[in-house]
Amino acid sequence: MNTEPIIQLIDIKKGFGPQQVLKGINLSIYEGKTTVIVGESGKGKSLIIKHILGLIKPDSGKVFVFGKDLNKMSGKELKEIRSYFGVLFQNAALFDSMTVFDNVALPLRERTRASEGDIAGMVNEKLKLMDLEGSNEKFPAQLSGGMRKRVGLARALVLNPRIVFFDEPTTGLDVAKSNEIYRVFFRTQTKLGYTAVIVSHDVPKIFKLADYVALLHDGIIQDCLPPEDFQTSDNPFIREFVEKTMGLIYESEEVEG
Amino acid sequence: MILLKFLEKSGELGLYYINQAGRMVIFLLHVIISTFKLPYYKVSNITKQIYIIGSLSIFVIVFTGAFTGMVLGLQGYNTLKKFGSEGLLGSAVALSLIRELGPVLAALMVTGRAGSAICAEIGIMRNSEQIDALECMAIDPHKYIMAPKFIATIVSMPLLTAIFNVVGIFGGYLVGVKLLGASEGSYFTSMYKDVEFQDVYMGFVKSLCFGLLIVWICAAKGFYVHYERTGGFGAEGVSRVTTYAVVLTSVSILVFDYFITSLLL
C-alpha cells in the first residue's frame, strides 16, 4: 500500500430525511487493484459508488479522484474524470430502445470522432470478448439477465476506462451464470489492466478476485483488508460477517464431526 | 397545535413547489446552453425526433383541424345569418383559427400525443438508471436526449399549426359554402381582406411558445420523476408524472394563451 490511492473517500456522510445511511465513510482505492465492498443489502453500498461517480453529492466529506476534489470540480472537469470511468449498473441500465450493437457503440459515437467502420470494429471486438457474437441486432429485452450484464460490461469497457465499477455484477444470476461473469471479468481485467471496484455480497466467491475487501456496516467502512487478513480480522463486525457468510460450512462440519 | 401543523405542512409544500420551479428553470437553461454548444451534433437525432413528434402528429392534427373548421363553419354560418352577414363567414373562421384555435388546439393535441410520450420515455429512462448511465459515460443527457426533442418540438409546432389552420379553413369552407350555401366568393375575399400579417404573426409566436412549453414541462417532469413528492418510483410513478405533466402543460397553454394575446394585441 505504498502507492497513492487513485480514489479516496474522506468522512462521507449522507442521509435521506431522518435516515442516516452513510455515517462517515473512509476508503482508499489503489490503481490496478480490485477492491470489493461487501455488506448487507440496502445499507448503502451502491450509494458509495454513486458518490465516487459524482451522481450524488455527500452531505459532508470529500471524494478525491486522481487527487482532485470531486465536489469542487467544474462540469467540464467532471466530464473528463468520468471519461476514465466505466460502470456496470446493478440492472445493467442498457438503453432499451436501442440494439445491443448501438448500446455498445453509443459511447464511441458520442464521445469520439471514430468513423462508423472503426466503431463497428471496436464494438465487435468487445462483444467477442464477452462471447456475445451474433446478438448485435437484438434488443435488451430479448436477452437473458446474464447476457444483459455482459452487454453492460462491454459498454463499460468500450472506451478502455482506467477504473471500472461493478454494482452487484452477479445478483439475480444462477451459479453457472455468475461464474461466467467472474470469468469474463477476470479475463478482461488481465487483458485491459483496469482498476476495479466491485459492490457485491457474493461471499466467499468474490474473495478469490479481490485484492482488498472492505466491509460496510452501520454506515461505516469497518476495515479494508486483503482477503486473507479480512477473514482473520479481529474487528467484531468483520468476524461476525465472515462467520455469518462462511460459517455454515464449519457448523455443518461440527455437526458431522 | 393544529395551526402549527397546518403552517408546517403549507411551508413544506411551498418549499417543494419553489424547489420544483427552480429545478425546471435550471433545466431549461441547461438545455438551451447545451443546445448551442456544438461538438458532435448528430443531425439524424434531430430528424428522428421531428419525425416522431412532428410527422406522426400530422394525422391527428388534420383530423381535429378539419372538424374544428367544420364546426366553426356551422356555428358561424348560423350566427352570422341572423345578422345577414354570411359573407363574413370566411374571415370569421380564418381569424378564429389563425389567432386562437389553431395554435391552442394544435398544441393541446401535440401535448396529448407527443408530450406524454416524451415525459414517459424520459421518466422510464430515469427510473431504469439509463440517464445515470449516460452521465457516467460523460454524455450530457441534456444535450443527447433533451436538445433534439426541444429543437424538434419547436420546429414542428408552427408547421403543425399551419397545417391545422389550412385544413380548418377548408373544413369551414366545406360546411359553410358547400353544405349550407354561403357564397364561395365572399368566403375567400372576406378572408383575404381581414386576415393581416399581425394575425399570422400572433399565431406563429403562440405556436412557438406552446411548443417550448410542451417539451419543457413534459421533459423536465420526466427527467425529475425521482424528485416527485408523491413518490416517482416504478411504472406507477412514471404514469402519475405523465398524467401530471399533460395536465400541467394543457393548463399552462391556456394560461399563456391569454397572456400572449394580451401582450400582442
Side-chain angles (χ1 to χ4, degrees):
Chain A
M1 278 210 208
N2 41 17
T3 48
E4 280 285 298
I6 53 170
I7 296 173
Q8 214 175 358
L9 297 159
I10 297 171
D11 210 25
I12 296 292
K13 288 186 182 136
K14 179 76 187 176
F16 295 98
Q19 193 191 7
Q20 193 70 21
V21 182
L22 303 181
K23 299 174 183 165
I25 297 289
N26 289 293
L27 181 66
S28 299
I29 285 153
Y30 295 89
E31 178 127 45
K33 303 287 183 198
T34 302
T35 305
V36 176
I37 304 172
V38 295
E40 285 170 61
S41 309
K43 291 286 189 276
K45 297 194 299 290
S46 306
L47 202 57
I48 295 179
I49 286 199
K50 289 194 172 168
H51 275 96
I52 303 175
L53 294 169
L55 289 175
I56 292 179
K57 278 200 182 353
D59 295 338
S60 71
K62 287 196 168 89
V63 183
F64 288 98
V65 180
F66 301 120
K68 283 187 208 153
D69 189 341
L70 205 63
N71 293 313
K72 286 196 182 129
M73 274 181 203
S74 64
K76 208 175 164 188
E77 280 176 298
L78 191 63
K79 222 171 161 178
E80 198 193 318
I81 289 278
R82 280 178 178 161
S83 67
Y84 299 125
F85 289 164
V87 185
L88 175 61
F89 281 86
Q90 200 160 353
N91 56 11
L94 298 176
F95 303 112
D96 42 23
S97 49
M98 292 184 198
T99 62
V100 166
F101 182 89
D102 289 337
N103 258 290
V104 182
L106 182 75
L108 293 166
R109 284 186 181 144
E110 292 299 316
R111 296 266 312 284
T112 67
R113 286 175 181 277
S115 69
E116 272 305 302
D118 294 344
I119 288 176
M122 285 186 263
V123 171
N124 285 327
E125 181 205 317
K126 285 289 182 295
L127 287 175
K128 199 176 161 198
L129 196 64
M130 304 295 156
D131 299 324
L132 280 167
E133 296 132 307
S135 10
N136 284 8
E137 296 309 316
K138 284 191 181 150
F139 284 91
Q142 296 169 302
L143 301 177
S144 70
M147 283 166 92
R148 234 176 280 167
K149 294 239 161 149
R150 277 182 282 148
V151 176
L153 190 54
R155 188 179 68 182
L157 296 178
V158 77
L159 283 174
N160 296 323
R162 288 173 61 184
I163 310 172
V164 184
F165 298 89
F166 298 83
D167 193 352
E168 313 219 346
T170 57
T171 304
L173 301 181
D174 61 43
V175 182
K177 288 272 159 40
S178 59
N179 283 345
E180 189 186 302
I181 292 281
Y182 288 133
R183 269 198 294 278
V184 169
F185 164 73
F186 193 72
R187 199 163 68 214
T188 53
Q189 202 194 20
T190 20
K191 195 160 174 232
L192 305 168
Y194 51 78
T195 306
V197 180
I198 305 178
V199 160
S200 179
H201 39 227
D202 196 1
V203 179
K205 222 180 278 167
I206 201 78
F207 286 166
K208 282 190 196 158
L209 298 169
D211 292 305
Y212 298 105
V213 182
L215 174 72
L216 175 72
H217 183 87
D218 200 20
I220 289 169
I221 293 286
Q222 297 294 339
D223 212 342
C224 182
L225 299 163
E228 305 79 43
D229 300 348
F230 185 87
Q231 289 171 61
T232 54
S233 167
D234 290 335
N235 182 308
F237 296 115
I238 297 184
R239 281 195 71 85
E240 193 194 323
F241 179 80
V242 170
E243 276 165 19
K244 221 192 270 171
T245 50
M246 305 171 69
L248 268 177
I249 308 164
Y250 304 137
E251 216 171 64
S252 64
E253 269 170 10
E254 231 165 63
V255 174
E256 281 166 23
Chain B
M1 216 33 214
I2 293 169
L3 190 69
L4 210 65
K5 246 199 180 122
F6 172 74
L7 277 177
E8 203 176 80
K9 205 86 197 148
S10 52
E12 193 187 314
L13 216 64
L15 279 178
Y16 169 76
Y17 282 115
I18 291 170
N19 250 326
Q20 282 281 66
R23 254 199 296 274
M24 285 187 64
V25 172
I26 292 170
F27 173 82
L28 179 65
L29 294 178
H30 204 140
V31 172
I32 290 173
I33 292 167
S34 62
T35 305
F36 289 105
K37 270 198 220 157
L38 270 177
Y40 316 134
Y41 233 119
K42 292 266 180 351
V43 183
S44 62
N45 278 349
I46 298 175
T47 46
K48 187 180 159 204
Q49 291 302 327
I50 290 183
Y51 175 71
I52 294 172
I53 295 167
S55 307
L56 292 183
S57 301
I58 287 178
F59 175 74
V60 93
I61 289 290
V62 168
F63 200 69
T64 47
F67 275 94
T68 309
M70 280 157 72
V71 83
L72 277 177
L74 193 61
Q75 292 276 19
Y77 181 81
N78 285 326
T79 312
L80 289 171
K81 208 174 131 191
K82 285 182 198 155
F83 307 102
S85 38
E86 305 98 291
L88 289 175
L89 182 63
S91 93
V93 169
L95 280 179
S96 36
L97 274 173
I98 292 170
R99 286 178 161 198
E100 285 299 332
L101 291 175
V104 171
L105 290 181
L108 291 178
M109 294 322 293
V110 173
T111 307
R113 221 207 62 87
S116 56
I118 291 173
C119 182
E121 182 189 339
I122 296 173
I124 289 171
M125 288 186 84
R126 166 66 76 188
N127 270 350
S128 56
E129 293 186 312
Q130 293 177 44
I131 287 177
D132 289 348
L134 275 177
E135 280 179 349
C136 290
M137 287 182 229
I139 298 169
D140 186 355
H142 294 92
K143 184 169 182 68
Y144 178 70
I145 307 175
M146 305 304 169
K149 290 193 195 300
F150 270 69
I151 294 172
T153 315
I154 292 172
V155 168
S156 306
M157 262 322 289
L159 298 173
L160 290 173
T161 306
I163 294 173
F164 190 98
N165 290 340
V166 171
V167 173
I169 287 167
F170 277 99
Y173 168 81
L174 200 70
V175 171
V177 177
K178 292 286 167 196
L179 208 65
L180 300 174
S183 134
E184 178 167 353
S186 60
Y187 185 86
F188 284 107
T189 39
S190 72
M191 193 167 82
Y192 292 143
K193 216 167 66 205
D194 287 340
V195 178
E196 285 167 11
F197 175 72
Q198 188 64 28
D199 303 315
V200 179
Y201 174 72
M202 183 196 264
F204 180 69
V205 170
K206 279 183 181 176
S207 64
L208 280 183
C209 293
F210 295 161
L212 181 65
L213 270 180
I214 294 169
V215 69
W216 175 27
I217 295 176
C218 292
K221 281 283 159 208
F223 195 67
Y224 292 121
V225 60
H226 55 310
Y227 285 126
E228 279 304 308
R229 186 167 51 95
T230 43
F233 303 106
E236 206 178 302
V238 172
S239 88
R240 208 177 308 128
V241 88
T242 307
T243 312
Y244 185 56
V246 170
V247 172
L248 187 63
T249 312
S250 310
V251 172
S252 318
I253 286 170
L254 295 172
V255 172
F256 271 75
D257 182 45
Y258 175 79
F259 286 113
I260 297 169
T261 311
S262 69
L263 270 179
L264 288 180
L265 263 184

